[in-house]
Structure formats: structure tokens, C-alpha cells
Amino acid sequence: MARGKAKEEGSWKKFIWNWEKKEFLGRTGGSWFKILLFYLIFYGCLAGIFIGTIQVMLLTISDFQPKYQDRVAPPGLTQIPQIQKTEIAFRPSEPQSYSPYVVSLNRFLEKYSDTIQKNDLDFEDCGDVPSDYKERGEFNNEQGTKKVCRFKREWLGNCSGILDETFGYSSGKPCIIIKLNRVLAFKPKPPKNDSLDKDVMIRYNPNVLPVHCAGKREDDKDKVGTVEYFGLGGYSGFPLQYYPYYGKLLQPKYLQPLLAVQFTNLTTDTEVRVECKAYGENIGYSEKDRFQGRFDVKFEIKSS
Amino acid sequence: MDQEKSEICNIKVNGTNFEKVDNEMAKKDDSKEKKKLSKRTLKKEHQKELKKDLDLNDHKISTKELEEKYGTSIIQGLTSTRAAEVLARDGLNVLTPFKDTPKIIKFFKQMVGGFSSLLWAGAILCFIAYVIEFSKDNSVSMDNLYLGVVLIIVVILTGMFAYYQEAKSTNIIASFSKMIPRKALVIRDGEKREIPAEELVVGDIVEIKGGDQIPADIRILDSQGCKVDNSSLTGESEPQTRSCHFTHENPLETKNIGFYSTTCLEGTATGIVINTGDRTIIGRIASLASSVGQEKTPIAIEIEHFVHIVAGVAVSIGIVFFIIAICMKYRVLDAVVFLIGIILANVPEGLVAAVTVSLSLTAKRMAKKNCLVKNLEAVETLGSTSIICSDKTGTLTQNRMTVAHLWFDNQIYRADTSEDQKAQSFDQSSATWASLFNIVTLCNRAEFGAGQENVSIMKKIVIGDASETALLKFSGIITDDVIGKRKRNPKVAEIPFNSVNKFQLSIHETDDPNDKRFLLVMKGAPERILEKCSTIMINGQEQPLDESAREAFQTAYMELGGLGERVLGFCHLYLPEDEFPDTYSFDIETMNFPTSDLCFVGLISLIDPPRSTVPDAVIKCRSAGIKVIMVTGDHPITAKAIARSVGIISANSETVEDIAKRLKIPVEQVNKREAKAAVVSGMELKEMSPEQLDELLKNHSEIVFARTSPQQKLIIVEGCQRQDAIVAVTGDGVNDSPALKKANIGIAMGFAGSDAAKNAADMVLLDDNFSSIVTGIEEGRLIFDNMKKIIAFTLTKNIAELCPFLIFIIAGVPLPIGTIAILFIDLGTDVIPSIALAYEKAESDIMNRKPRHKKKDRLVNHQLALYSYLQIGILQSVGGFFAYFTVYAVQGFRPERLLYLRPFWEDNTFNDLEDSYGQEWTKYQRKYLEWTGYTAYFVAVMVQQIADVIIRKTRINSIFQQGLFRNKYIWVGIASQIIIAVILSCGLGSITALNFTTLRIQYWFVAVPYAIIIWLYDEFRKLLVRQYPGSWWDNNMYY
């Protein structure tokens, strides 16, 4: 047994470097050269084929419009600040407990500052009342890039960060900003007049896709308190003139309409689950995708 | 002496081994080790003792002493109480069956062997990953937990499957060895009674009669014409008489011992039981068989080798990428998950099942051809056989005496010795033949058994000894009316054959009404018959037996004898009417009739002729590079004659003795290297050292071992195995079982084989026919080739499963294929096509090449691994990636966007991840797209595996040479691939846990160009291999 093992070890060593035949791992230098050359050529050809087929495949796809959108639509509804496990917990008396949220909101709203939207080549005013979709022609660059509607930060009122740099967090009245995920060529359709709850119908406008936030469960409903909405023309929703979106190439500066929501009277020292939901004919919800057309966020404001 | 040395050496080596183990165990238990060691030594000694002759003296002592020794009485038998006591002491009179590994252990072996251990490791890693994640955050996804459970289920299911297949094939045999309960007639308390044979004890007085199996080792006390068949013990096919006389020192040779499990053919005998159960001679040999270690089957070694390669690749790639992942600042937990994926991708989960099924399919096919395989792996072993040690009687020959030659009118005639003997073509017009035929018919005590009117002559059961049977059947072929002829020539007196007279004589009335003379017919040993003759019949005329006639007789006798045939002489005499009138009363005691000055008629020689299919089979073996060695207990001359007639010794090769005879020089002066053939007797073999035996086996390609005892078979097998040969051994007797066990493949005979032989064997030949072995070899070789194809097919997609993980780690793209989808490829779409490859026909005549070399021709060689892994596998991965990039691109993520996207892609807080068009994706939308990617990659691999299964049909020939549609199972396999994929994608797409989604119809065809490239490339490879044999391409690309 022992002898056998020694022999085996010897054969291993011999396999790695055989002095007699000048073989490394069972091959001579020439043999290694040949096999490596073969694989070089083989993989060279393969890479060529791969790149070729990928190029051919890309030729069949437009630069301006994706072939299919069945995975990305209906769009998601997302909130700023973006947070782990969608939980906003802070102490109004301790600035560092809410500073991440403020930083996140500020960073997001930078894009919406007036200085960036000055350029008249890229931006245009689309009015400060909601109006119908703004079609800008075909999905190609025959007319160069397309203009983008301005969205003024001050429309967000208390949540614009202009008046209150802490977005209400310091006073225990947290703001969140809601946006509908961009989907190319997507035109959100507001719901039919009679199909909605009273709460939502209060500020109904046929050119606004309404969004409503409320307690998720029955017992949350009382704890939510007053909810204030800040958006274009004071409507709680997304005005339609910002749609459709023409894509990164044609509208590189596109700003999607925002809606700010401030919870002014949240019950403190308890978890409150709030669900915000967009309503529309082509807005869908899914059990599995908790961000499709709605999202929920958990607040916990600690008073002391 | 030499052997002893090596044995001691062995034990020592074993000893050091134990010490090593013990050192590791911190010298736990010193005495235990010693015990173990001494046990081994004991076993070795035990074996050695058995290999030697047995010491037994019951055959030497007188009956009085026997009575005393066993406390019994020959007249009264044992008393019941005494019998019960002894039974309690010695136990039942049965052989302890082979200790089979308990089922549960077999089952667990299936669970941990081979790849299972890798999968266990994967499962444990899964659980660890889950537990760590769970302890950090208890709302974590259960994916890892699920995967771990799935892996365990996979291990258990494949283990159960393999176990079931194994058990199923073992069961076939179990039904074979069912023992019929036997009874024995004993004298106890002075009464005869029938008791179950198991209850016999030493000292019992038993009576046996013709047809019984001897129920224990007995010392014969009294016998009336008792003959036994000891062939299963000693290999002698001749019936042996048993008497109460002590005739030989060696208990195996003496005539007053009857052995357990041998059969009493005729006569009756009374005996005293001297050994029961495992203490009988047969029992001891059987226990020797169980102590002979069996070698691992070649295919088990090959599969182990293959598992090592794959596991090596899996573990090394796994570790390398684990380190890379850590260096790339992935979390350790993520790195562990990658490791699981890599292991999973590398392990061909479905392969074990595919290999088992294809082996059992072959086993089934072989069973149809009369080779019943007990141990599935033996299927392939047969294919790699390089030496067959075959018995003669019954395997190479028909196992019945048959008339081979006749000599009359100074001329030798050949008789037809084929199985049906239809074509008797010798000249039957001579008057001498008529007389000879008369004698053959009349001077014969054999008779056809009753009630066989409609059975053909050759198949009729005959009562009588082998030679007489042969003669009776021979005359039955010549004339339909043997019985009638006998009736017309009634027998008036008869002297049966006995070993003193060496002749048999009968006196008949003739059927010629005008001839009132009696006819005396006689047959017997030719020289004895000739002594009694003064005339010889030539062409029907009696002529004086002069010198020249005697010489002619001598020449014919020598010639027939030299053919290894048993020669009988025939003579007759018409008794003069005046001396022996009608009323004459013949007295066989006083022999009141002449037994000399008879008329010599002719000679007939008998042989156990070779089966007619055997010579072809031997030629096939030879062209297949397989050496056929004959091992027989028969006389060297007979053995050599049969060896020549079946081609084991080919027509133009000579033995040392032949050369000596031809050159007229003494045997010692002949250059042994010149002789291709050798005939070695058991006596010579006994004198040989292992080195001499090695030399013999090396230097002679055609070897016959004659007059060997079954024990020597073991020595021959060991000798062959020292030459690195894979040895197949045939055997039927109990005594063969050690050799059967020792051989790489033991082949037992279905008809003639004893249960012990069948137990020890790996295979049972249902028709006892040598040529069935050759068909078996063909199947075995085919399955080896096909197994290569199966493995090549299976290994290919491992790379296609592995690359996604590697690219995922290095390039940070979303994961192209999930672990569940990998399992569905391995255990779903790929299983049936890989089994279908087992049905593939041979590409060329596999019986024209040498048996594979145990160490050089591996199942998985580096060509196969490199070609599958680095060429087709990579091609397939590229095709898969092409499909993957395509489905992402059409949804908005162009390839360049995907690179290094992983951290954002997998971040749950990002619900607005931008794609190439500026659209924003929620986490779940991305996840769903990822699953679509899995599905696309899965389908691409499936499509390319269709091309793969088609190219794997052949290794060297073009697909068109092989025929695309000859193996229809391949198409069943391909259909199954597509159906399973469609079901997964459409039907089960809604089950979230499986991570499949529906795929637009056009994306099922994305990988088709790559499938075509695979097929074209492989055709190109095969073309070059065919065109330039021996070239660099051939050496590196032919697997």
C-alpha cells in the first residue's frame, strides 16, 4: 500500500513535469503550442460568430423604441426617498435620524431645479393646468431631439424643499415624492368618472391620472390623519401633457411629473402603513409586484 | 514457498496500513487493531488451507470405529434424542448463504457514492447560506432553503432509482437459486423415515438411490452398483462408482465417500453421515468463494475516474471563482451561493440514471440472447474481456457422446456430429456395415424412455450410459425401427460391460427365419476385442486376421485415439447350428459358448463433439483480440482434439510436443518461443511457480489446460489477472465458485450450473453455450462505446450551465440561468436523449478491434473531456448567451447596458432602474425579465442539445453513414426534449417557484444557427479524423 502510494506520487510529479520527455502536464512544448494555437483560432472564430450574430440581432431592434414592453408595462409607482424595506422611521428632534431621507429627496429634486430647465431648446412650458397628451410625432430622430415639458419644483409646495429644507421631517410632517415609472410611449388613461371612491373624486380632472394615499389596513386609516397633495395645479395626480415619453435618445432631459404627499398629522410612536395608489384604466396592480401602480410605505415617528 | 512469502508480505503491508489508520485515530484501541490483523491472517491461512487438500480420515477407519466415533449404530441408526442433541450442537445441515451486504447499506452506498457527495455538499451550503441570511434578517427569501431541499430530493431520488435498478436485476437471479426442499431417507430409532435433509446430523444412517442428491458428506457402508456424478466437485464428467472399499488416501479420490450435493446416478447405497452443512467439502469450498475478494468491475473504475475528473473540475472552478468573487468584493454569502451554482452546474445529475438505465437495457437485450446478467456493471466487463477461460464440457461441446468416426473395410468414415446428425454421409452399401450396424443395434442395453413416440430421436431421453446412448441414437438415425429390430432378434443371453472384462456381449436369435443360428455380438475395448478375433470382415467376407490386417487396425486405432476419441471395437460370431440348437441354454456364469476366434467387424469412435456454433465464435474472439483458454478436467489428448476442432488451437499452430515430433528431437531441445500453442496438464501446473505460469501465459497465445482440478482454475485466473487481463471464467461446479468469484466476470451455466456457481457468478448463460458469451462481448463493447457518447453528450451542457455563473460573477450581468432550470435540463430534457444513445448501433465492426486496455483506453479520456468541455460546450454557452442577450435586448436592455448592472439589478430598493431606452423597471419587473432570460437560455441549451444528441450518434462516421433515422429512440428523445421544454415554459410558467416564463415563439429559434454550427463543426471534425488517421487532429479530436 505504502509503496503504491509513493509510486503514485512519483507519477503525479512525472505528470506535471516529465524530464525524460520534456513534457509539462503530459504535453511537450510543441504540443502545447499547437493545442493553444488551435484554441486561439477556435475561440477567435467563435468570438467573431458571436459578435456577428449579436450585431445582426441588434440591427433588427430600433434605437428609439423597444420591440416589446410587456414586461415593463403597466408601469410601477415609486416614491422618493428610496429606502430599505420601505420604512421611514425617525425622530423629529434628531436631525441625523432623518437626514438620509432629506439627502435622498434633495438629490432627486436637483434635476427639477429651475437652473437646469432654463434652456429653451430642450424645454417648453406646457401650462400650469392639466391638459391632454402632448404628441410629438414619430419615434425617430428625423426632427432631431424632441422638447420636454418643464416641471417646476415650486409646484411641490411644502414638499419642494424650498420653504422647508427638511421636507417637513423636522416638524414630524414627512413628505414623500411619488412618480410614475417612465415607460416609453405610455399614455396613462385616467379612470372613468364614476368608477372611483369619493376620496379620490374630490379633485377629479379628466387630464390628471389620480393618485391617492390612505392607510393600508382598516386600523391604519385613522392613524394616517390628514394627507396633503402638492402637484401641478394642485391636483393629486399626474397631468397628461407630460406623456407620452419619447425615450432617452429623443428626450434626454425628460422630467416626469411628480406628486408630493405630506402627512401632517400622523399618529406618533406607532407603525403606520400607508398605501399610495394610482388609478387609471391602463394602470394595473399585481399581487407579486408590490410596486406596480401602487406602493406602500411604513411610517414610524418617534415623539421623544 | 514463494507463494507463502508473498502472503506474509501481504499481511505485513496490510498491517502497516492498519497502523496508519490507527495513528490518525490517535491510537485509540491497540488490541482492536491486533484482533483485526489476526482475523485477516486467519482468513488468509484459512484460504490457504482450503486451497490445499483436505484432511479427513473417516474413509480410512473401520465401520466399528465410525460407530464409536459418532455414537451411532449401523443397524438402528441414531436415537431421536441423540439426533436432536447433535442437531442443537452442529446446527442445520445447510450451507450458510453468501453474506450479502444488507439492503439498507447498499441503499446508503447509492446515496453517498459518486456525485451524490457533491450534491450533499451543495445542499449543506444552501442550508448554511439560508441560516446565515435568516439570522440576519428573518424575512429573507426562501430560495436557498428550497434549493437545498430540492438537491436532497434529487440525491435521494437518483439513489433510489439506481438502487431499484440494481435490485431488480438481482431479483431475476434470486428466483433462479430457489432451492427445492429436499428429503432424506434415514434410519433412526431402528426405523426408516423420511425427514427434511436440513435435519440430518453426523452419525445418521442414510439410504440413497439413483436420482437422489446426496444430502451430506457420507461414508458409504454398503452399495449396490452405486454411481455418482462428481463433476461439480472434481470436474470429472465420468460417473464414478461408489463402494464401501477404501481405495485412496485422498478423501476426494477414495471410492467410499459420497459428497454433499453430488448426485447419485444409479444404484443404491447406505452411508453414515460424517459431515453436515458448512463443514462438508462443498461447504468449505463455498466459504472459500466468499472469502475470495472480488475485484472492482472495470466500468466502476471508469465511472470513478470520470467522477474524479468532473468533481475535480467542479471543485477547482468553484474554489477559483469563490476567491475571485471575494476579491471582487462580493459578500461571502453571495460567493457561497455562486459556489453552489458552480457545483450544481458541474454535476451531471441525470447521468447516473442514464448510465444505469442503459446498462439495464443492455442487460435485457443480453438476456434475450441467453446471457443473464446478475450485476449490471458486468455488462460492460464482458465487453472489455481480454481472456476467456472456458470449460470444455457442455460449454464448448454438446455434452453428450456422439459417434464421430467408423472404421470398417480398412477405411475410416466420418459421421455427422452436428446437433441433429441428419447428414450421415458415409458409405452404407457395404455388407460389413450391415453387420456392424447389427452389432451396434443389438449389443446395446440402452433404451428409449417410455412415452416419447413423437419426440425426435436426438431429443429422446435414453436410459443407459453415455456411450450406449450415443450408439443407440446413432442407430436410431440410420433406421427408424431400432426397437423393432431388437424385437425381431430376441436376446437370449447377455454379459454386461464390466471393468475387468472390458467387453459387453449378447446372444440373439436372428430375424432370418431360414437361419436358425444364434448370433453372438460383442463390443468393447478394441485391443480386447481384437484378441478374441481370428478373422476380420472385409466387404462382407470373412478373411483371416493376418499381420497386415492387424497393422491396419493398429493404425486406425491410433489415429482415432489420437483424435481424443473413445474407440470401441465390434465383433460377432454366428454360432454353428449343430452345436447350439434352438433349445440350447446359455449360461453366462460358466460361459458355455465361444468367446474367441470371433470375426472382427469394425471400430466406432465416440466423442463429445463441439457445438456447431463454437468454431465461429472462437474465430470471432480471435479477431476481437480475445484469448480463449480451455480449462478442463479431461485428458490432454481429448482436450487438444476438441481445442483443435473448435479453433482454440488453430490449424497451423503447434505445441512444443508437436514441434519435437516433427523435427524428431527431444522435447527439451525445442525453442519454446516457436510454439504458439501449449497443452498443460494439471500435474505440470502444480509444479509451476507463479513466474513460470506468467511466462507460459505470456508466450503462448493458444493454451489448453487439461486434467486440472477446479481449484487450479483459481490459480489460472490469478495468473491471467497478473497480465493485466480482464478475465472471464465459465464454470458450473461448486468447486468453480472461487474462480468465478475471483474472475472479473464469472459466468455460470444455466443448465448444468450448481446454485453455488450461479451465486458466485456475475452472469448466467441460459443455454450453456460458448457462443452466447461472444454475443455478450459484442453487447458489452457496444455499451462502452455508447456510454462514451452518453457522457460526451451530458458533459457538453455542463459548460453551458457553468458559463452563466462565471460570466455573472465576472461581468456582473443579470444571472442568465437559474439553478432550478439547470436541474430541469439535467433531470428533465436531457435524460431520455441520453438513454436513447444507448440504442445506437455500432459504427464499425467492434469485434474486429482489440479489447480495450484497462489503463490506456479510458471511458473518459482527455480528448472527450476537452472536446465536450472546451469546444462544443463553449459553443453551446455562446449560443445560450446569444439567446439571453436577445430577449433582454428586445425588452429594452441592450447587451452593453447589462454589463456590471448586477448590484442595481438585484437591489430591492431600486424600483425605477433605467434600461437602454430610459424606461424604469421595478424590481419584480426585472425579476420577471430575468426569468424570461432563464427560459430563453434554457430553451437555447435544449435546442443545441438536440444538435448535440445528433452529433453524438457517431464518433468517427458521418451522421449520414450511420443513418439519421436508424435509431428511432433518438427521435423519441428529441421529441421529449421539446415537449418538456414546452410544458415548462407554457404550462408551468405560472408556478413562480420554478422561475419559468412563456417565451414568444420566435425566440425558441434564436439558438438554431448555433445548433447548425455545432452539427457542421462536428461533421468537419469527423471528416478530418476519417481523412487523416494518425494526424494531430485525429490524436486530439477523436474521443
Side-chain angles (χ1 to χ4, degrees), chain B residues 861-879:
Chain B
N861 48 25
H862 73 268
Q863 288 94 339
L864 186 148
L866 289 184
Y867 184 65
S868 301
Y869 273 152
L870 293 185
Q871 296 181 34
I872 301 298
I874 296 285
L875 239 169
Q876 231 178 48
S877 323
V878 171

Side-chain angles (χ1 to χ4, degrees), chain B residues 869-897:
Chain B
Y869 273 152
L870 293 185
Q871 296 181 34
I872 301 298
I874 296 285
L875 239 169
Q876 231 178 48
S877 323
V878 171
F881 272 100
F882 176 54
Y884 158 84
F885 281 128
T886 304
V887 294
Y888 275 79
V890 295
Q891 293 285 355
F893 287 94
R894 289 164 160 264
E896 66 277 5
R897 174 75 184 128

Side-chain angles (χ1 to χ4, degrees), chain B residues 365-486:
Chain B
R365 210 151 49 195
M366 281 164 75
K368 262 186 212 154
K369 293 176 179 170
N370 290 322
C371 295
L372 200 64
V373 179
K374 251 173 79 177
N375 172 0
L376 275 187
E377 287 170 351
V379 170
E380 195 282 323
T381 314
L382 199 56
S384 41
T385 300
S386 53
I387 295 181
I388 304 176
C389 292
S390 176
D391 270 349
K392 180 181 81 72
T393 313
T395 313
L396 295 170
T397 66
Q398 301 171 17
N399 196 17
R400 61 157 179 239
M401 278 297 175
T402 305
V403 173
H405 291 96
L406 305 100
W407 179 78
F408 55 86
D409 295 347
N410 275 334
Q411 201 175 339
I412 292 177
Y413 297 93
R414 262 180 75 94
D416 180 16
T417 52
S418 68
E419 274 80 351
D420 56 7
Q421 299 184 13
K422 276 266 159 53
Q424 296 295 359
S425 57
F426 60 93
D427 177 26
Q428 300 182 4
S429 59
S430 162
T432 319
W433 161 244
S435 304
L436 183 59
F437 179 62
N438 238 356
I439 307 170
V440 168
T441 320
L442 298 178
C443 185
N444 193 332
R445 298 180 67 204
E447 274 173 44
F448 289 118
Q452 302 185 77
E453 283 74 20
N454 298 323
V455 185
S456 76
I457 304 248
M458 293 320 293
K459 292 202 176 123
K460 276 183 184 169
I461 295 165
V462 175
I463 303 154
D465 78 17
S467 313
E468 296 222 296
T469 305
L471 292 170
L472 176 63
K473 287 195 172 170
F474 179 67
S475 42
I477 293 287
I478 307 282
T479 169
D480 290 336
D481 193 22
V482 183
I483 309 299
K485 191 171 172 68
R486 283 197 190 163

Side-chain angles (χ1 to χ4, degrees), chain A residues 155-160 163 167 171 173-178 203 211-214 224-231 234-237 258-266 274 276 299:
Chain A
W155 289 340
L156 301 178
N158 292 347
C159 294
S160 64
L163 306 170
F167 298 91
S171 51
K173 295 172 182 171
C175 275
I176 58 170
I177 291 173
I178 302 172
R203 290 176 296 268
V211 173
H212 182 71
C213 292
V224 172
T226 351
V227 182
E228 285 192 47
Y229 299 90
F230 303 97
Y235 289 99
S236 70
L258 303 178
L259 175 71
V261 182
Q262 187 171 31
F263 300 90
T264 52
N265 195 15
L266 273 173
V274 177
C276 295
F299 286 100

Side-chain angles (χ1 to χ4, degrees), chain B residues 895-1011:
Chain B
E896 66 277 5
R897 174 75 184 128
L898 292 175
L899 297 180
Y900 301 105
L901 189 63
R902 196 192 92 94
F904 311 102
W905 182 273
E906 292 195 340
D907 192 333
N908 283 323
T909 58
F910 272 104
N911 279 297
D912 51 356
L913 186 73
E914 267 185 48
D915 65 11
S916 309
Y917 295 92
Q919 307 183 94
E920 292 173 322
W921 293 66
T922 67
K923 168 76 198 212
Y924 184 80
Q925 285 166 342
R926 294 193 310 260
K927 197 86 212 162
Y928 200 67
L929 180 59
E930 192 177 318
W931 294 341
T932 313
Y934 292 178
T935 314
Y937 197 97
F938 169 82
V939 168
V941 170
M942 184 275 290
V943 166
Q944 293 175 92
Q945 279 294 83
I946 293 177
D948 196 22
V949 73
I950 290 173
I951 66 167
R952 299 302 183 180
K953 277 165 71 76
T954 58
R955 294 185 296 146
I956 186 162
N957 286 349
S958 161
I959 294 301
F960 301 108
Q961 283 171 297
Q962 182 79 351
L964 204 47
F965 298 97
R966 260 219 318 205
N967 179 358
K968 52 185 182 298
Y969 295 99
I970 289 286
W971 296 98
V972 173
I974 290 173
S976 82
Q977 284 184 293
I978 296 170
I979 290 167
I980 291 173
V982 168
I983 289 174
L984 283 174
S985 169
C986 301
L988 301 174
S990 50
I991 300 174
T992 331
L994 297 183
N995 304 350
F996 280 99
T997 63
T998 46
L999 200 62
R1000 282 191 172 77
I1001 186 83
Q1002 62 266 40
Y1003 299 115
W1004 284 71
F1005 299 97
V1006 173
V1008 168
Y1010 282 88

Side-chain angles (χ1 to χ4, degrees), chain A:
Chain A
M1 271 292 184
R3 223 177 13 176
K5 206 163 189 185
K7 212 174 154 193
E8 209 169 82
E9 257 168 40
S11 76
W12 264 108
K13 267 185 199 158
K14 208 170 186 181
F15 177 69
I16 291 170
W17 176 242
N18 185 342
W19 269 110
E20 293 150 39
K21 295 184 184 167
K22 299 244 186 285
E23 281 175 353
F24 175 65
L25 295 177
R27 284 180 184 278
T28 60
S31 167
W32 271 110
F33 174 74
K34 278 183 195 163
I35 198 99
L36 290 178
L37 184 69
F38 168 79
Y39 277 102
L40 197 68
I41 296 170
F42 182 81
Y43 290 140
C45 293
L46 205 52
I49 292 171
F50 180 65
I51 292 167
T53 48
I54 287 282
Q55 289 306 327
V56 169
M57 182 268 291
L58 289 179
L59 283 182
T60 65
I61 295 169
S62 152
D63 282 344
F64 305 105
Q65 200 174 14
K67 204 163 192 162
Y68 300 108
Q69 293 181 300
D70 54 337
R71 298 287 185 257
V72 74
L77 192 70
T78 44
Q79 97 278 15
I80 325 292
Q82 267 171 346
I83 36 196
Q84 204 85 59
K85 285 193 280 169
T86 64
E87 190 177 278
I88 295 178
F90 66 98
R91 239 179 258 276
S93 52
E94 286 174 29
Q96 72 266 31
S97 72
Y98 55 77
S99 70
Y101 309 129
V102 174
V103 168
S104 172
L105 283 162
N106 267 324
R107 196 187 294 143
F108 178 76
L109 287 176
E110 266 168 31
K111 282 181 277 182
Y112 286 83
S113 54
D114 289 343
T115 46
I116 286 177
Q117 301 184 36
K118 264 183 189 150
N119 186 347
D120 276 332
L121 276 175
D122 291 326
F123 293 96
E124 62 176 352
D125 280 320
C126 300
D128 40 14
V129 284
S131 57
D132 205 359
Y133 307 116
K134 208 165 182 89
E135 301 280 359
R136 296 170 201 271
E138 291 292 308
F139 283 85
N140 56 45
N141 60 350
E142 278 162 22
Q143 296 143 14
T145 55
K146 298 184 192 295
K147 286 195 175 177
V148 169
C149 289
R150 287 199 175 95
F151 191 91
K152 298 223 164 85
R153 193 166 164 175
E154 63 251 33
W155 289 340
L156 301 178
N158 292 347
C159 294
S160 64
I162 300 167
L163 306 170
D164 180 358
E165 282 180 358
T166 65
F167 298 91
Y169 283 83
S170 56
S171 51
K173 295 172 182 171
C175 275
I176 58 170
I177 291 173
I178 302 172
K179 66 184 170 74
L180 192 66
N181 275 356
R182 288 196 296 257
V183 172
L184 205 124
F186 181 73
K187 295 183 209 166
K189 273 192 199 127
K192 295 256 160 51
N193 231 341
D194 46 356
S195 61
L196 290 172
D197 305 352
K198 263 194 287 173
D199 292 347
V200 183
M201 292 306 296
I202 298 169
R203 290 176 296 268
Y204 179 78
N205 181 309
N207 289 327
V208 169
L209 184 82
V211 173
H212 182 71
C213 292
K216 188 170 167 72
R217 286 172 304 221
E218 276 308 311
D219 52 332
D220 288 324
K221 294 231 158 105
D222 317 326
K223 296 178 193 162
V224 172
T226 351
V227 182
E228 285 192 47
Y229 299 90
F230 303 97
L232 185 141
Y235 289 99
S236 70
F238 304 114
L240 299 185
Q241 68 260 45
Y242 288 85
Y243 299 96
Y245 171 48
Y246 274 78
K248 213 174 179 176
L249 227 54
L250 297 176
Q251 290 185 320
K253 301 274 169 67
Y254 177 76
L255 294 170
Q256 67 228 82
L258 303 178
L259 175 71
V261 182
Q262 187 171 31
F263 300 90
T264 52
N265 195 15
L266 273 173
T267 314
T268 55
D269 296 319
T270 178
E271 274 188 13
V272 184
R273 250 174 208 284
V274 177
E275 184 183 62
C276 295
K277 205 166 174 182
Y279 294 88
E281 279 180 31
N282 55 1
I283 296 293
Y285 316 108
S286 156
E287 273 303 305
K288 290 167 191 156
D289 187 356
R290 299 204 333 269
F291 287 89
Q292 195 183 97
R294 61 169 175 186
F295 66 86
D296 62 275
V297 62
K298 203 159 66 183
F299 286 100
E300 191 174 1
I301 303 172
K302 289 164 196 143
S303 55
S304 52

